[in-house]
Amino acid sequence: AQKVTQAQTEISVVEKEDVTLDCVYETRDTTYYLFWYKQPPSGELVFLIRRNSFDEQNEISGRYSWNFQKSTSSFNFTITASQVVDSAVYFCALSEANTGNQFYFGTGTSLTVIP
Amino acid sequence: DTEVTQTPKHLVMGMTNKKSLKCEQHMGHRAMYWYKQKAKKPPELMFVYSYEKLSINESVPSRFSPECPNSSLLNLHLHALQPEDSALYLCASSQVFKGTGVKYGGGEQYFGPGTRLTVT
């Protein structure tokens, strides 16, 4: 079964619009970690954020914000006032305490910001 | 310094060639990873080294042979590859959080820029 689901395959927005990327995860562990990565066309995966299962506080970093809700097993990512440089594939990932360092990646959401 | 370096950036090899991919990190991380990524797909885990020992091998064909000479270096030796092995090969590293006899996940992985491999 897919542990991380990113239902949005591709999203296009016009510059300055806000956009939310959805991530739903599945785990039986009580201790787990959630991540978001950005992969621009150059190919390198860039780490954006890590959240552990005991910390449900939402986080804001500049134009980026993350909404972690255990009740719905979701960890959504919002970009405010999108820019062309935000165009990339975004991956959500999960790691569980009992499987050590292994990451489970979602299938990714390709975001295109149109100028 | 959160940099992971990989060489070469691009590699074209024939099916009978032997080549190696190299990865280096100086963040003091004790877990290192090889991933394979095809276009429009997420990275697929190939191997994990933890404290320089192979801890996960995701049933990768023997034509891929990993090596971890020390805590900073990770190699992937390639031999007799097939055209379907053409992909982006990504290296990553992370901390290992270790409890009493149990390894915990949680460390974010830092990725290198990848090697674009083409097998002809």
Side-chain angles (χ1 to χ4, degrees):
Chain A
Q2 187 76 13
K3 284 185 179 278
V4 178
T5 301
Q6 294 180 256
Q8 304 149 309
T9 307
E10 295 181 359
I11 300 176
S12 290
V13 298
V14 176
E15 203 169 19
K16 297 186 184 160
E17 284 184 349
D18 299 348
V19 58
T20 295
L21 309 183
D22 298 332
C23 174
V24 174
Y25 62 92
E26 183 182 329
T27 180
R28 292 183 181 176
D29 271 24
T30 54
T31 302
Y32 55 91
Y33 305 85
L34 296 162
F35 307 82
W36 275 96
Y37 283 83
K38 174 183 180 179
Q39 188 172 37
S42 59
E44 183 170 350
L45 274 131
V46 178
F47 165 70
L48 297 178
I49 190 171
R50 179 186 80 160
R51 250 322 174 233
N52 73 53
S53 53
F54 301 113
D55 182 2
E56 275 193 84
Q57 278 197 344
N58 292 331
E59 179 148 342
I60 298 174
S61 176
R63 295 185 298 108
Y64 294 171
S65 62
W66 291 269
N67 182 357
F68 176 25
Q69 291 199 338
K70 286 175 80 168
S71 60
T72 55
S73 297
S74 65
F75 186 44
N76 296 339
F77 172 29
T78 297
I79 302 174
T80 303
S82 58
Q83 300 176 2
V84 172
V85 293
D86 296 327
S87 297
V89 180
Y90 291 86
F91 291 100
C92 182
L94 164 75
S95 79
E96 299 163 317
N98 72 356
T99 54
N101 304 306
Q102 188 159 0
F103 267 31
Y104 301 97
F105 280 97
T107 49
T109 297
S110 178
L111 174 66
T112 301
V113 181
I114 303 162
Chain B
D1 182 9
T2 57
E3 190 179 57
V4 177
T5 58
Q6 288 186 245
T7 56
K9 290 184 81 169
H10 300 275
L11 179 61
V12 179
M13 61 186 286
M15 290 192 285
T16 57
N17 291 157
K18 282 186 184 182
K19 297 285 184 184
S20 296
L21 309 184
K22 296 186 184 304
C23 173
E24 189 167 6
Q25 58 89 13
H26 294 289
M27 293 177 276
H29 291 167
R30 301 307 296 272
M32 295 186 76
Y33 311 76
W34 280 115
Y35 288 87
K36 172 183 176 181
Q37 187 179 26
K38 292 284 219 178
K40 297 187 186 296
K41 298 287 187 186
E44 291 174 41
L45 183 65
M46 299 175 73
F47 303 104
V48 181
Y49 274 84
S50 188
Y51 293 91
E52 295 89 71
K53 288 192 164 72
L54 184 65
S55 61
I56 295 177
N57 175 345
E58 290 287 341
S59 304
V60 178
S62 59
R63 57 186 184 268
F64 296 91
S65 173
E67 179 197 17
C68 190
N70 60 53
S71 60
S72 301
L73 292 173
L74 187 65
N75 298 323
L76 186 63
H77 303 297
L78 315 172
H79 173 56
L81 295 193
Q82 305 296 309
E84 60 264 28
D85 297 321
S86 298
L88 179 67
Y89 287 84
L90 293 161
C91 172
S93 71
S94 76
Q95 291 181 330
V96 177
F97 300 129
K98 196 171 182 182
T100 48
V102 178
K103 292 195 177 106
Y104 291 95
E108 58 268 25
Q109 294 183 16
Y110 291 93
F111 285 81
T115 294
R116 289 199 183 273
L117 173 67
T118 303
V119 182
T120 60

